[in-house]
Amino acid sequence: MSRRRHRRPGSRTQAERRSATRARLLDATAETLADLGWAGLSTTEVSRRAGVSRGAQQHHYPTKTELVAAALEHLLDRLRNEYQDAYTRLPDEQRNVAGALELFWATLQQPPALALLELALAGRTDDTLHELSKQLNDRVVEIVKEVFHELFPESLPDDAVDTLIRGLFALLVGLSLQNSLDGDENGHQRAVLNMIKAFAQDLIPPD
């Protein structure tokens, strides 16, 4: 007669344990990239920060490239969710295109977003990262467009949104790079951001 196994109360299934291990690896990859850059990112360091063995890391993500690609998608999902949650918590008077841009700028200054910037820059000279960096750029632009349409539906024609988002993203990435070097000690990045916000409010006036 066969026995049925019963899980102990509070114990996790194998699938839940696997998912938790992967999440720790992906979070540790993003953290390591932000702290040490692409040159300092090693699977050994990621495993140490995640608290898992190298064998476990290789079981889930056999190569460094696979690990980084999965971490990027994980990180983008997290940033998107955090951004949308933060926007809903803004005061009513700030829940407009200027408030959305201010929040986006703040997001770009956080370590997870700087990790994405670090990887994109590394792809310029690293052949193993080049295609991944291109895909990352396209994915970020698509996410920004999706969020824009969710927050400001039918506010602008679709073809205009695509061009404006790509231009805005390129501009803010450049400002973010400058900010990472000088901390905006002279207020130049803030001045540019304020000009962008004023222009955006002309295009999409507050309700």
Side-chain angles (χ1 to χ4, degrees):
M1 192 165 93
S2 64
R3 292 183 179 176
R4 296 183 61 186
R5 287 189 168 181
H6 296 281
R7 284 199 298 137
R8 295 190 305 275
S11 64
R12 295 184 298 177
T13 65
Q14 184 177 1
E16 288 170 337
R17 290 194 298 273
R18 183 167 56 246
S19 178
T21 298
R22 286 181 173 174
R24 291 205 307 274
L25 283 166
L26 300 181
D27 285 337
T29 301
E31 178 188 284
T32 305
L33 187 61
D35 290 347
L36 306 179
W38 170 250
L41 178 68
S42 69
T43 52
T44 301
E45 177 63 14
V46 168
S47 297
R48 184 190 69 78
R49 293 189 184 211
V52 304
S53 67
R54 283 278 287 114
Q57 177 262 305
Q58 290 178 320
H59 171 73
H60 291 288
Y61 303 102
T63 69
K64 181 178 176 180
T65 302
E66 288 178 276
L67 175 62
V68 170
L72 292 178
E73 193 60 36
H74 174 75
L75 184 55
L76 288 174
D77 285 343
R78 194 179 91 196
L79 287 171
R80 176 180 185 158
N81 291 334
E82 289 176 353
Y83 177 87
Q84 290 176 303
D85 287 345
Y87 185 82
T88 62
R89 293 195 301 270
L90 288 175
D92 289 345
E93 66 273 13
Q94 294 179 26
R95 222 172 295 149
N96 51 45
V97 69
L101 282 170
E102 188 67 45
L103 189 58
F104 187 40
W105 174 247
T107 299
L108 290 176
Q109 310 315 306
Q110 297 173 9
L114 292 175
L116 298 178
L117 177 60
E118 167 75 26
L119 196 70
L121 292 173
R124 187 180 67 85
T125 55
D126 190 317
D127 290 341
T128 62
L129 275 180
H130 186 71
E131 186 59 32
L132 187 60
S133 294
K134 285 173 57 181
Q135 293 171 4
L136 170 63
N137 182 76
D138 290 341
R139 182 73 180 115
V140 171
V141 169
E142 285 304 312
I143 289 175
V144 174
K145 286 165 57 179
E146 289 169 7
V147 172
F148 175 86
H149 283 302
E150 290 173 13
L151 298 182
F152 308 104
E154 301 180 5
S155 55
L156 293 171
D158 285 349
D159 56 344
V161 170
D162 184 77
T163 301
L164 285 169
I165 291 297
R166 290 180 185 280
L168 174 67
F169 179 62
L171 181 56
L172 290 181
V173 165
L175 286 179
S176 184
L177 178 58
Q178 291 176 0
N179 189 271
S180 69
L181 296 173
D182 66 13
D184 200 17
E185 60 184 2
N186 296 311
H188 297 316
Q189 288 116 53
R190 169 52 58 181
V192 174
L193 180 63
N194 288 342
M195 183 175 65
I196 294 170
K197 287 163 60 178
F199 174 67
Q201 285 193 296
D202 284 341
L203 285 176
I204 308 173
D207 293 334

